[in-house]
Amino acid sequence: MNPIKGFWHYAKKVYGLHWRLKGVRDDRTQAKIPTEVVSATLFLGMLLRIGAFLQLEQESKRWGFQRLTGYAQIVHDDLLAYVCERYRVEDWRWVLVDVNRQLKKNKGLESAMINGLLVVALDANEQFHSDKRCCEACSQRRIKVKDSKGVEHEHIQYYHRQVYAHIQGPDCSVILDLEPIRPGEDECRAALRLLGRMRRMYGPRFFQVVTVDAWYTKGPFLLAVEKMGWGVVSVLKQEKYHINTMASLLQRRTACQELVEAKRQIKLWDIRHLDFTEEAMGKVRVVIADEKWEQNHRVGGTLQRQEEQSHWRWMATRKLDGYGAAVVWRIGHRRWGVENDAFNELTQHYHLTHCAHHHPVAILVCLLIKVLAFNLFEFYVKLNGKLWRVGRTTLREIARQMDLSMEQWEQLEPIWSG
Ligand SMILES: [Zn+2]
């Protein structure tokens, strides 16, 4: 089947994407172009990995593009910007949430579970920074730069960061939601706002555990997540001096468990009943891991096998008391997925760091549509695509084929039908 047609067939049949897109509203009072046409144009643009609105305007001239959107005219870049400012953000969020919920219903997240637990990783990402353009949602910082004469100058830099909630499985990556970090705000606060909304939109039982890096290992954050009903596994850094010293002392008296997983030899120590800095936390648990594995390195033109090792410490909250140290180890390592997979892919191929229109609502809407396109492309290719599963193609090649297949416009039909 024509690749872009195949994608839409899947997205409509399995996720009802066509009618979900129709449900997204904007607040224009006199709309000359229907909102659904703009929504489909933006979604197609993100799917075809187009960064700038001006380029998307050019794409909208293609017959295949017009055939799919059912709109036989150009969609100008200023209109895209105008509508993006006026979208109802929650409508786009619901599309993302409902698509992900359908994925879970279809058992698409089964392979991502660890001992029956679905683990959500949280991580912040700086989307872009700028020295000149500024909106009311820009965070700002002072930075020092040297001019051509070596004289140091200080100036204000504006930037946008968001916290992402993400599930990384062996089969595919899924981004559940994202939340902007407001000016002057702590990352943890934005993360709690994100989790609170996810609890409302996905429900408290969609996932069971949250895994975070050392930045979040703070009493108020951990307590708030426990109160929302989820367990937490967080990285413990050396700065948490007291609990680390206690854990090291008790490590000598604790039996070590050994296992081999992911080609690593792992030694684990499960140390319970430790006091955390904040008393309200009660007793906490620390899992210490020493890992060894072999890796190939190119030295002077030849491949050499070298031994690597790493040391990890995680803190696990009481909700996970019934699970062994190996489960905490697996959960702790799930956080790698965010940096290694989703952000990497989004930055390299979806222009994540490009801001199509600098406006608080437009920035958020564009990110939500980008994440929706990223997720659906992942599901289509990795869960549904035979060529991908037998390792006979790459994601980039499939995206290229999808783009080329737009030229066979006579094979395409408006996405709204059926
Ligand atoms: Zn801004």
Side-chain angles (χ1 to χ4, degrees):
M1 193 194 266
N2 174 308
I4 192 82
K5 192 175 176 176
F7 170 84
W8 276 103
H9 180 73
Y10 170 79
K12 284 162 69 172
K13 197 174 137 223
V14 182
Y15 299 97
L17 187 64
H18 53 323
W19 56 263
R20 291 196 197 283
L21 287 181
K22 270 194 173 181
V24 177
R25 297 160 293 172
D26 72 85
D27 288 332
R28 284 177 296 167
T29 44
Q30 288 174 315
K32 282 185 192 148
I33 299 183
T35 308
E36 66 203 46
V37 171
V38 183
S39 302
T41 301
L42 287 163
F43 179 81
L44 262 173
M46 302 296 180
L47 185 70
L48 298 173
R49 306 169 174 205
I50 291 154
F53 282 171
L54 209 56
Q55 198 195 336
L56 188 48
E57 177 185 304
Q58 293 299 314
E59 290 289 317
S60 76
K61 289 179 185 168
R62 294 168 79 180
W63 283 20
F65 207 103
Q66 296 188 358
R67 186 93 164 179
L68 284 170
T69 59
Y71 187 72
Q73 286 177 55
I74 300 170
V75 182
H76 290 284
D77 70 326
D78 51 357
L79 176 93
L80 292 169
Y82 187 81
V83 178
C84 276
E85 286 183 14
R86 286 160 184 81
Y87 264 127
R88 297 197 186 173
V89 178
E90 291 313 289
D91 286 358
W92 276 112
R93 267 215 174 87
W94 273 115
V95 178
L96 179 67
V97 169
D98 286 337
V99 163
N100 289 337
R101 280 174 27 181
Q102 189 63 46
L103 174 78
K104 193 182 179 203
K105 223 171 164 181
N106 298 350
K107 315 269 180 226
L109 292 172
E110 297 283 291
S111 63
M113 286 190 166
I114 298 171
N115 290 58
L117 302 170
L118 201 52
V119 179
V120 166
L122 294 186
D123 244 316
N125 182 60
E126 180 169 322
Q127 189 198 0
F128 69 92
H129 59 255
S130 152
D131 290 344
K132 294 188 189 91
R133 305 194 66 191
C134 174
C135 72
E136 73 218 51
C138 272
S139 293
Q140 45 179 283
R141 62 189 162 214
R142 293 197 159 272
I143 60 154
K144 287 176 183 169
V145 278
K146 279 186 182 168
D147 64 16
S148 53
K149 290 172 188 150
V151 182
E152 205 170 64
H153 295 278
E154 202 179 72
H155 72 270
I156 292 174
Q157 190 175 64
Y158 303 96
Y159 64 98
H160 281 254
R161 286 179 88 212
Q162 296 88 15
V163 181
Y164 286 73
H166 171 272
I167 292 175
Q168 173 70 34
D171 297 331
C172 73
S173 306
V174 187
I175 293 172
L176 296 182
D177 197 0
L178 58 102
E179 177 64 24
I181 301 174
R182 293 173 185 164
E185 187 178 57
D186 174 35
E187 192 175 314
C188 289
R189 259 186 99 165
L192 286 177
R193 198 163 53 244
L194 172 69
L195 289 171
R197 186 180 54 237
M198 283 167 66
R199 199 174 187 278
R200 287 196 304 278
M201 294 180 86
Y202 283 96
R205 283 178 289 278
F206 189 86
F207 57 92
Q208 290 75 37
V209 185
V210 175
T211 177
V212 286
D213 72 10
W215 176 257
Y216 297 86
T217 313
K218 296 167 182 168
F221 176 82
L222 301 170
L223 278 170
V225 182
E226 279 257 293
K227 213 171 162 188
M228 283 190 241
W230 299 307
V232 188
V233 172
S234 69
V235 177
L236 194 63
K237 276 270 164 69
Q238 291 301 329
E239 293 85 68
K240 300 279 177 194
Y241 181 74
H242 176 71
I243 190 168
N244 262 310
T245 313
M246 284 309 292
S248 301
L249 279 172
L250 289 167
Q251 184 183 4
R252 290 175 213 151
R253 286 192 246 149
T254 309
C256 158
Q257 305 168 37
E258 294 195 33
L259 69 144
V260 178
E261 201 165 306
K263 294 182 181 168
R264 288 170 185 236
Q265 285 183 302
I266 306 145
K267 283 185 179 174
L268 294 174
W269 290 266
D270 192 348
I271 302 150
R272 303 200 179 209
H273 310 295
L274 287 165
D275 290 315
F276 190 58
T277 332
E278 280 87 348
E279 262 181 48
M281 281 292 296
K283 300 287 180 190
V284 296
R285 168 188 184 192
V286 170
V287 170
I288 298 178
D290 277 336
E291 302 170 18
K292 277 185 189 161
W293 69 99
E294 285 191 334
Q295 203 157 331
N296 286 330
H297 288 280
R298 195 164 284 280
V299 184
T302 54
L303 272 183
Q304 284 183 12
R305 268 190 106 60
Q306 283 178 7
E307 192 168 88
E308 304 275 340
Q309 50 185 325
S310 66
H311 178 82
W312 287 90
R313 283 173 183 224
W314 291 284
M315 209 177 87
T317 57
R318 271 166 293 179
K319 284 238 160 20
L320 293 157
D321 276 355
Y323 295 87
V327 174
V328 174
W329 181 86
R330 285 182 204 119
I331 293 172
H333 276 319
R334 271 296 155 87
R335 230 181 49 75
W336 288 348
V338 187
E339 282 156 31
N340 296 346
D341 205 317
F343 287 148
N344 215 356
E345 186 70 17
L346 281 163
T347 306
Q348 284 192 22
H349 303 301
Y350 289 82
H351 311 276
L352 179 67
T353 54
H354 176 79
C355 172
H357 181 51
H358 197 147
H359 175 277
V361 176
I363 289 171
L364 188 50
V365 161
C366 286
L367 280 178
L368 287 168
I369 305 172
K370 202 166 282 193
V371 161
L372 179 70
F374 166 83
N375 281 358
L376 280 165
F377 184 75
E378 283 266 304
F379 308 162
Y380 174 60
V381 175
K382 295 187 177 174
L383 302 179
N384 187 54
K386 290 186 191 80
L387 285 176
W388 168 262
R389 271 183 285 172
V390 291
R392 296 214 343 238
T393 190
T394 61
L395 293 176
R396 218 173 157 180
E397 178 56 21
I398 295 169
R400 200 179 73 87
Q401 292 296 338
M402 243 187 219
D403 189 85
L404 284 174
S405 68
M406 298 265 291
E407 294 307 313
Q408 273 105 46
W409 59 271
E410 69 286 350
Q411 295 176 6
L412 308 176
E413 49 195 52
I415 55 175
W416 315 111
S417 61

